[in-house]
Amino acid sequence: MTLPERTVERLSEYRRSLLQCLEEGKTHIYSHELAELHHNTAVQVRRDIMFIGYTSMQRKGYDVRELIGVIGGILDSEKGLNVAVIGIGNLGRAITTYFVGKRSRLNIIATFDVDHNKIDRVISGVKCYPLSRLKEMTDSLGISIAIMTVPADSAAEVSQQVQEAGIKGIMNFTTVPLKMGQDVYLDEYDMITSLEKIAYFVKLGLS
Amino acid sequence: MTLPERTVERLSEYRRSLLQCLEEGKTHIYSHELAELHHNTAVQVRRDIMFIGYTSMQRKGYDVRELIGVIGGILDSEKGLNVAVIGIGNLGRAITTYFVGKRSRLNIIATFDVDHNKIDRVISGVKCYPLSRLKEMTDSLGISIAIMTVPADSAAEVSQQVQEAGIKGIMNFTTVPLKMGQDVYLDEYDMITSLEKIAYFVKLGLS
DNA sequence: GCCCGATTGTGATAGAATTAACAGTATTTT
DNA sequence: AAAATACTGTTAATTCTATCACAATCGGGC
């Protein structure tokens, strides 16, 4: 069974809110509450939850702790996955710092760069290795996801190396779209595009 | 006429590639070439271009320069829009640095923070103001979009101030979903969710 | 000058995602 | 205990998005 992408995203988001609820001591939550937190509808929430086969105590809302568990069962891998950040510029550093400490089954376990000044430096407890050792480290550490934050002009080349290292998931923060084989899951995120989209809708709203 | 979100995103992406083509001296481009660059199909490209009412010289592909112009006419505002980054932590700094110098009709014109050590500092040529002056500066500088990179626990409060300042578009990099009025265009981007999604599909691929 | 091959533009169609509608059920009220 | 209430789970309808299929067009080869 493979869930739609959007559903997976929403589940991840729900879980975050649910964890928050737990901290606040809330044990049950209604579909409409969850919906309101996430800019969508109660029906959408129920449908998503139906997808994963969880069913609540009727009329009391969903059991927060249980639902977290079920979502975890769907999203998480048994032992978590290891993640590498490739390219330790400003953005790479920021992302690394940002992630460390966030409770998650996804661990940033190494960073890579070509700059000799950066190699062996430790950022938020994560060590930087030379890019040339990518394959070696991928094998020895068991890295399955790469976050790419290299400059645009080396993106294509580096992405090739990432693929050859056997990494199966890529989050691309580069401004150039990457070319990948079918067996690599690739998610492109482009801040400029996001901003331009916002600008477009703001413009519409203003006119 | 209001385009679908997804189309707007793709147009922004196409434009980037087209600008790249221009630099390389390529004057015309076929729909299937553009498609290949962007992980989608030639039909999709043609459909998107149809949406914006541009029509090519048949059989020669699209005129790169013209198409850039037409997309610009759709996406860009007359004089560009001014953007503020709110919260100058690692991520805020990275984003600010990242944007400056990128040719774009969107200018990061100010940053804001509450930390006295950060105020008046200049990052990549952009000055940091105290958050308390948000409304004042929004009015005087004409800020219409905010990029939120504040810590999760102040996100709700700060977003309120952003809304009250009259900002009409928000890009939220915070891990908490924001509550906004109908007249504010809000785009939530959550790295953890993105990574969890990738992890999910990688897991599926591996099993 | 005419045909062939390549490419665009678009109506029709299929597919995915969302929303509506409502039956079912536990809880509270009377 | 029956009725009203307030939810969930699910089927059906709808709407939105992407793809198919093909007519129309143009340039180059003959």
Side-chain angles (χ1 to χ4, degrees):
Chain A
M1 165 213 53
T2 157
L3 300 171
E5 281 204 18
R6 281 293 158 77
T7 301
V8 173
E9 289 179 13
R10 283 192 299 260
L11 288 172
S12 164
E13 287 158 11
Y14 297 159
R15 173 162 64 173
R16 208 91 46 69
S17 295
L18 291 169
L19 288 164
Q20 184 59 34
C21 288
L22 211 56
E23 279 185 16
E24 292 165 3
K26 199 171 163 69
T27 62
H28 291 80
I29 190 167
Y30 297 127
S31 58
H32 65 261
E33 290 177 299
L34 209 41
E36 195 184 10
L37 288 171
H38 292 279
H39 314 306
N40 69 147
T41 67
V43 184
Q44 179 73 75
V45 170
R46 294 205 300 273
R47 171 161 290 272
D48 288 334
I49 289 173
M50 191 182 101
F51 255 119
I52 63 176
Y54 178 67
T55 143
S56 74
M57 306 179 50
Q58 292 245 11
R59 152 97 205 170
K60 276 284 185 194
Y62 300 96
D63 182 298
V64 171
R65 196 181 301 268
E66 273 180 29
L67 187 49
I68 290 171
V70 175
I71 294 177
I74 302 282
L75 295 188
D76 297 335
S77 300
E78 200 78 8
K79 319 182 174 181
L81 293 179
N82 291 328
V83 180
V85 174
I86 304 186
I88 293 302
N90 287 301
L91 188 59
R93 263 196 305 276
I95 290 176
T96 306
T97 309
Y98 175 85
F99 260 99
V100 172
K102 295 266 188 299
R103 154 212 43 241
S104 166
R105 278 303 205 7
L106 302 171
N107 315 301
I108 295 192
I109 200 173
T111 68
F112 294 87
D113 207 300
V114 288
D115 183 344
H116 287 291
N117 297 321
K118 290 173 184 160
I119 289 165
D120 287 333
R121 264 179 53 190
V122 174
I123 292 150
S124 303
V126 183
K127 191 168 163 192
C128 184
Y129 297 93
L131 189 59
S132 55
R133 294 181 62 195
L134 179 61
K135 174 140 184 57
E136 173 201 341
M137 298 308 295
T138 298
D139 292 341
S140 66
L141 297 174
I143 295 168
S144 36
I145 297 176
I147 299 176
M148 298 239 337
T149 51
V150 301
D153 49 15
S154 55
E157 192 194 325
V158 173
S159 69
Q160 203 51 42
Q161 294 176 57
V162 168
Q163 183 162 221
E164 280 160 14
I167 287 173
K168 290 298 180 226
I170 297 182
M171 167 93 260
N172 180 29
F173 282 104
T174 292
T175 44
V176 294
L178 303 180
K179 275 209 76 136
M180 279 294 145
Q182 282 299 322
D183 60 332
V184 178
Y185 184 87
L186 172 62
D187 199 60
E188 311 258 6
Y189 181 71
D190 189 323
M191 280 184 224
I192 295 180
T193 289
S194 285
L195 259 205
E196 287 185 342
K197 181 177 70 172
I198 295 172
Y200 172 78
F201 287 107
V202 167
K203 185 180 77 163
L204 283 191
L206 297 178
S207 64
Chain B
M1 167 212 52
T2 156
L3 300 171
E5 279 200 28
R6 219 44 214 103
T7 301
V8 173
E9 288 179 15
R10 283 192 299 261
L11 288 172
S12 164
E13 287 158 12
Y14 297 158
R15 173 161 66 173
R16 208 92 44 71
S17 295
L18 292 168
L19 288 164
Q20 184 60 32
C21 288
L22 211 56
E23 279 185 16
E24 291 165 3
K26 199 171 162 69
T27 61
H28 294 263
I29 190 166
Y30 296 126
S31 58
H32 66 262
E33 291 178 298
L34 209 41
E36 195 183 9
L37 289 170
H38 292 279
H39 314 304
N40 70 147
T41 66
V43 186
Q44 180 73 74
V45 170
R46 295 205 296 274
R47 173 77 62 188
D48 288 333
I49 290 173
M50 191 182 102
F51 256 121
I52 62 175
Y54 178 66
T55 144
S56 75
M57 308 180 47
Q58 292 243 13
R59 150 101 206 163
K60 277 285 187 191
Y62 300 96
D63 183 298
V64 172
R65 194 180 302 269
E66 273 181 29
L67 187 48
I68 290 171
V70 175
I71 294 177
I74 302 285
L75 296 188
D76 298 334
S77 299
E78 200 80 8
K79 320 181 173 181
L81 293 178
N82 291 328
V83 179
V85 174
I86 303 186
I88 293 302
N90 286 301
L91 189 60
R93 263 196 305 276
I95 290 176
T96 306
T97 309
Y98 174 86
F99 260 100
V100 172
K102 295 267 188 300
R103 151 212 44 238
S104 167
R105 277 305 207 358
L106 302 171
N107 315 301
I108 295 191
I109 201 174
T111 68
F112 293 88
D113 207 299
V114 287
D115 181 345
H116 287 291
N117 297 321
K118 291 173 184 160
I119 288 164
D120 286 333
R121 266 179 51 190
V122 174
I123 291 150
S124 303
V126 183
K127 190 170 165 189
C128 184
Y129 297 93
L131 189 59
S132 55
R133 293 181 62 195
L134 181 61
K135 174 138 182 61
E136 172 200 341
M137 299 307 295
T138 299
D139 291 342
S140 66
L141 297 173
I143 295 168
S144 35
I145 296 176
I147 298 176
M148 297 239 337
T149 52
V150 301
D153 49 14
S154 55
E157 190 195 326
V158 174
S159 69
Q160 205 49 43
Q161 294 177 56
V162 168
Q163 183 162 223
E164 280 160 14
I167 288 173
K168 291 296 180 229
I170 297 183
M171 166 93 261
N172 180 28
F173 282 103
T174 291
T175 45
V176 294
L178 303 180
K179 274 211 75 139
M180 279 294 145
Q182 282 300 322
D183 60 331
V184 177
Y185 184 87
L186 172 62
D187 199 59
E188 310 259 4
Y189 180 70
D190 189 321
M191 282 184 224
I192 294 179
T193 289
S194 285
L195 259 205
E196 288 186 341
K197 180 178 68 170
I198 294 172
Y200 172 78
F201 286 107
V202 167
K203 185 180 76 163
L204 282 191
L206 298 179
S207 63

